[in-house]
Amino acid sequence: RFPTRISACHQVPRGVSAMLSLFVSSLALSLPRRAVLSTAFGTALAIRPASATGDLIVGGSPIKGDESIMAPKAHGTSAAPVQGNLRWNVDVENADRITNYNRRFAEFGGYWKQTDFLKEVSRTEPTTYYDSVTGKPLFRAPIGRSMDEFLAESNLHGWPSFRDQEVVWENTRVLKDGETVSVTGTHLGHNLPDRAGNRYCINLVSIAGRPGGAPQ
């Protein structure tokens, strides 16, 4: 049984798809075709160029995935459990349930503030967030905004919230219904666009891995 609940941040309200489709139709008429990106939710957004940090390419056009990514594997939707020494003192047992045996539930709103995240995260440099199973980079933030802005938005919505320019698309995909996952099958959260564009509402327990993986 999940000690979690379905949150407003991880649900798509009824009627949103229809309204967004109408929005796309009108906006697409006023923008050049190459400047419009149709996302999993049907919103129209200007494509942002990717940026490189060392060998890590962050940002660029969102990449859609299909259901085959989340097909059953050796450990739920992943090949292995989450790492045993996740960062920020997140709960490993709950992380494994949410990340590998779940498509709908989320850690409770504000959970990220009850971990060691705020004590340890850099306030001056962007932080890279790694898959809790594989240790592959998934997000790097903040990019194109300040740390205060990143934290304020995450606090407002209840979960770490990333923008297109902060996603490592080599390792991350967005499914048709907005579910945001890793290419290896870890559940991360959902894309819930707002007026500023795509907003990836992500469970901290899913992105608390250590780079390159670690002994289980």
Side-chain angles (χ1 to χ4, degrees), residues 46-206:
I47 298 175
R48 300 191 183 200
S51 61
T53 302
D55 294 331
L56 185 64
I57 299 177
V58 186
S61 305
I63 301 178
K64 296 180 182 179
D66 58 48
E67 279 293 320
S68 64
I69 296 174
M70 303 301 283
K73 302 179 184 67
H75 191 79
T77 56
S78 296
V82 298
Q83 299 171 11
N85 60 338
L86 295 174
R87 293 192 293 176
W88 305 307
N89 198 31
V90 304
D91 184 273
V92 172
E93 183 179 352
N94 203 34
D96 197 55
R97 284 195 292 265
I98 290 175
T99 301
N100 294 320
Y101 291 95
N102 163 63
R103 304 288 301 276
R104 299 180 61 202
F105 290 88
E107 64 194 23
F108 61 82
Y111 170 76
W112 62 284
K113 295 187 291 183
Q114 297 184 17
T115 68
D116 291 340
F117 176 78
L118 290 174
K119 299 176 186 176
E120 299 178 3
V121 71
S122 173
R123 295 300 204 278
T124 58
E125 299 292 336
T127 294
T128 301
Y129 299 82
Y130 299 91
D131 190 310
S132 289
V133 175
T134 66
K136 293 183 178 180
L138 300 173
F139 301 93
R140 184 169 173 81
I143 293 178
R145 54 179 170 169
S146 69
M147 187 60 175
D148 286 343
E149 290 170 327
F150 170 76
L151 293 175
E153 182 170 69
S154 298
N155 186 59
L156 175 65
H157 296 290
W159 288 262
S161 296
F162 300 89
R163 297 293 177 170
D164 284 337
Q165 71 271 17
E166 297 168 330
V167 185
V168 181
W169 291 109
E170 178 182 0
N171 300 322
T172 308
R173 296 290 184 270
V174 181
L175 306 189
K176 185 177 181 180
D177 64 353
E179 183 183 6
T180 305
V181 302
S182 76
V183 295
T184 55
T186 52
H187 171 81
L188 305 176
H190 284 83
N191 174 26
L192 297 178
D194 57 18
R195 288 180 294 178
N198 289 323
R199 179 175 61 83
Y200 304 95
C201 193
I202 304 298
N203 296 295
L204 185 66
V205 297
S206 300

